């Protein structure tokens, strides 16, 4: 019998209480594990949903501006040398970056300023499939938002100004387009323009394979947005790649709030479990004062008694860490299915398992610290008098 076997023998001798304490602490660890897995899945799911409310990266060709003044009067800045990008090369470069799996949507735009009758209007060529991924707030007031070949969608203000409705025909650069639907009010620039298929507009304008800018929706929970913009910029020299800081900040605040909430709840659960372990070791110390006094009389030092009592708490914690993580990982499957997180499943990460294992061992040691110190202060004479 030595300092390592004594705690194990004591735990085995009081097996029902040991199993009860392991079960209590395991529930705490299982809750923490399930919350960690759930917070990761909820964060990613939430960000995918937020990405549907707008892009967070803008890719455009570099342009030069000229400040114009005359006679001491500033006339403002004028853009010169307006350029466009090659659609095929640009989209291939964006979708070929290292973090391509973090891109939710890549929406190219071709813009054209023209006239319908005598009224000037902007026409935007878009890829409707990609566009709807970043503008889920679009809704129709008439017709449909999925135009077919040779059709377009009118913004609410543009439709009112031009007197357009579903079935009307608009001529753009000599090409007839039929109005398929009218957008509801969005409160953005979308209200004042017309939307049509990007390739149809390119052909009408005589500029095939050209785009003026590309909006990208990137999921930022798995990597910094700066990494994604840097990779796009490296793939597309000669372009301006800008992260829309306020959009990214708002999204990350929402996702971080969910993660911080999960960590806070996990902390409370672990603290409660630690208190339970501390009380268990305290109870063991009170019950074993005579045994501890006898060990001190046999030559066990205060340090040895302290180690002996601490080991009991650490063994309880390690058993609970393994059982709790296994139970929490299994429970997270069921929770994700109940919350309908879009097919998300928990993924086992050895690093996370090791970190939780080490954290639980440390917390167990800290929880058993007060009762272990109390046990180490027991004098042999004090215990033997009680016999």
């Amino acid at each position: 019998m030595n300092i390592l076997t004594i705690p194990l023998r004591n735990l085995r001798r009081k097996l029902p209480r040991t199993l009860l304490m392991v079960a209590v602490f395991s529930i705490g660890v299982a809750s923490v594990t399930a919350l960690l897995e759930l917070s990761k899945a909820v964060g990613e799911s939430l960000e995918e949903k937020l990405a549907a409310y707008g892009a967070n990266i803008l890719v455009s060709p570099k342009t030069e501006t000229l400040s114009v003044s005359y006679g001491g009067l500033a006339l403002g800045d004028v853009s010169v040398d307006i350029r466009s990008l090659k659609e095929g090369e640009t989209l291939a470069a964006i979708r070929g970056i290292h973090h391509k799996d973090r891109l939710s949507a890549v929406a190219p735009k071709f813009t054209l300023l023209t006239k319908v009758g005598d009224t000037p209007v902007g026409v935007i060529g878009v890829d409707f499939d990609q566009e709807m991924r970043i503008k889920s707030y679009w809704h129709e007031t008439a017709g449909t938002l999925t135009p077919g070949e040779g059709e377009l969608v009118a913004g609410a203000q543009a439709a009112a100004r031009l007197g357009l409705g579903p079935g009307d025909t608009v001529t753009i650069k000599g090409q007839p387009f039929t109005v398929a639907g009218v957008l509801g009010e969005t409160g953005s620039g979308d209200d004042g323009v017309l939307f049509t298929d990007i390739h149809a507009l390119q052909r009408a304008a005589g500029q095939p394979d050209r785009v003026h800018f590309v909006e990208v929706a990137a999921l930022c929970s798995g990597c910094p947005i700066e990494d994604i913009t840097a990779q796009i910029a490296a793939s597309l020299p000669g372009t301006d790649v800008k992260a829309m800081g306020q959009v990214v900040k708002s999204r990350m605040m929402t996702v971080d709030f969910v993660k911080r909430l999960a960590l806070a709840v996990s902390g409370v659960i672990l603290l409660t479990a630690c208190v339970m372990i501390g009380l268990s070791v305290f109870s063991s110390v009170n019950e074993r004062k005579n045994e501890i006094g006898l060990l001190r009389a046999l030559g066990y030092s205060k340090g040895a008694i302290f180690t002996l009592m601490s080991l009991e708490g650490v063994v309880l914690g390690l058993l609970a860490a393994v059982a709790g993580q296994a139970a929490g990982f299994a429970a997270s499957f069921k929770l994700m299915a109940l919350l309908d997180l879009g097919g998300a499943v928990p993924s086992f990460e050895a690093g996370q398992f090791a970190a939780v294992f080490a954290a639980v061992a440390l917390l167990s040691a800290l929880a058993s610290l007060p009762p272990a110190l109390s046990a180490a202060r027991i004098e042999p004479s004090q215990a033997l008098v009680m016999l």
Side-chain angles (χ1 to χ4, degrees):
M1 192 167 63
N2 54 46
I3 199 169
L4 295 177
T5 57
I6 290 176
L8 297 178
R9 284 173 179 268
N10 183 58
L11 292 173
R12 189 176 62 185
R13 191 172 68 235
K14 300 175 180 176
L15 191 59
R17 191 179 71 175
T18 300
L19 292 177
L20 177 63
M21 293 309 303
V22 170
V24 169
F25 206 10
S26 294
I27 292 173
V29 177
S31 302
V32 172
T33 302
L35 280 173
L36 288 176
E37 295 295 333
L38 204 57
S39 68
K40 285 192 295 185
V42 169
E44 292 180 0
S45 174
L46 188 59
E47 193 170 3
E48 286 181 2
K49 289 180 172 61
L50 291 174
Y53 289 89
N56 50 15
I57 297 175
L58 182 66
V59 181
S60 60
K62 285 185 176 177
T63 57
E64 297 180 1
T65 58
L66 175 66
S67 296
V68 180
S69 63
Y70 183 75
L73 178 65
L75 301 177
D77 296 337
V78 177
S79 296
V80 298
D81 192 24
I82 298 177
R83 301 174 183 174
S84 59
L85 301 169
K86 289 187 177 179
E87 181 185 359
E89 292 180 4
T90 303
L91 300 187
I94 293 173
R95 291 183 171 126
I97 63 172
H98 177 70
H99 285 315
K100 55 182 177 294
D101 58 321
R102 307 306 302 169
L103 303 181
S104 173
V106 180
K109 306 285 192 303
F110 180 84
T111 63
L112 179 68
L113 183 62
T114 184
K115 285 187 176 181
V116 174
D118 295 328
T119 306
V121 65
V123 185
I124 313 299
V126 299
D127 180 335
F128 278 96
D129 178 54
Q130 296 294 315
E131 199 70 12
M132 293 303 291
R133 295 187 185 187
I134 60 175
K135 293 180 178 174
S136 62
Y137 53 87
W138 272 12
H139 62 283
E140 71 277 6
T141 57
T144 177
L145 296 184
T146 53
E149 182 73 20
E151 294 183 328
L152 58 77
V153 172
Q157 295 174 5
R161 190 171 68 250
L162 299 171
L164 298 176
D168 292 340
T169 300
V170 174
T171 301
I172 299 173
K173 294 291 184 181
Q175 299 291 324
F177 288 84
T178 302
V179 178
V182 178
L183 272 177
E185 289 275 0
T186 64
S188 67
D190 295 346
D191 294 339
V193 296
L194 307 177
F195 294 92
T196 189
D197 178 71
I198 186 170
H199 298 125
L201 190 61
Q202 289 169 343
R203 288 193 296 272
Q207 298 183 51
D209 197 37
R210 310 302 298 186
V211 294
H212 289 110
F213 64 96
V214 181
E215 289 181 312
V216 180
L219 307 178
C220 312
S221 61
C223 57
I225 191 71
E226 291 80 8
D227 287 356
I228 297 176
T229 55
Q231 290 172 18
I232 295 176
S235 301
L236 291 169
T239 61
D240 277 333
V241 182
K242 298 176 182 175
M244 301 178 191
Q246 190 60 40
V247 176
V248 174
K249 188 176 178 181
S250 300
R251 290 179 186 174
M252 292 310 296
M253 283 179 63
T254 306
V255 174
D256 288 344
F257 172 76
V258 174
K259 292 181 177 177
R260 284 198 299 270
L261 181 63
L263 286 176
V265 175
S266 302
V268 172
I269 293 172
L270 274 183
L271 181 62
T272 305
C274 286
V275 171
M276 295 294 292
I277 282 200
L279 291 175
S280 171
V281 179
F282 254 126
S283 174
S284 179
V285 169
N286 289 330
E287 293 174 359
R288 297 164 58 194
K289 279 186 177 178
N290 294 339
E291 178 187 335
I292 294 170
L294 184 60
L295 290 174
R296 292 278 287 125
L298 290 174
Y300 277 70
S301 66
K302 290 185 176 180
I305 297 297
F306 174 82
T307 305
L308 188 148
M309 300 308 297
S310 297
L311 279 175
E312 280 196 25
V314 172
V315 170
L316 285 173
L318 294 181
L319 290 174
V322 176
Q325 291 208 70
F329 195 72
S332 58
F333 279 93
K334 187 68 176 175
L335 287 172
M336 289 181 189
L338 289 174
L339 293 176
D340 190 19
L341 296 177
V345 292
S347 57
F348 178 79
E349 296 180 13
Q352 178 181 309
F353 179 86
V356 173
F357 192 80
V360 171
L362 178 61
L363 289 173
S364 303
L366 292 175
S368 59
L369 184 61
L373 287 173
S374 175
R377 284 196 291 267
I378 294 176
E379 295 296 335
S381 56
Q382 177 188 350
L384 294 175
V385 165
M386 299 172 64
L387 292 174

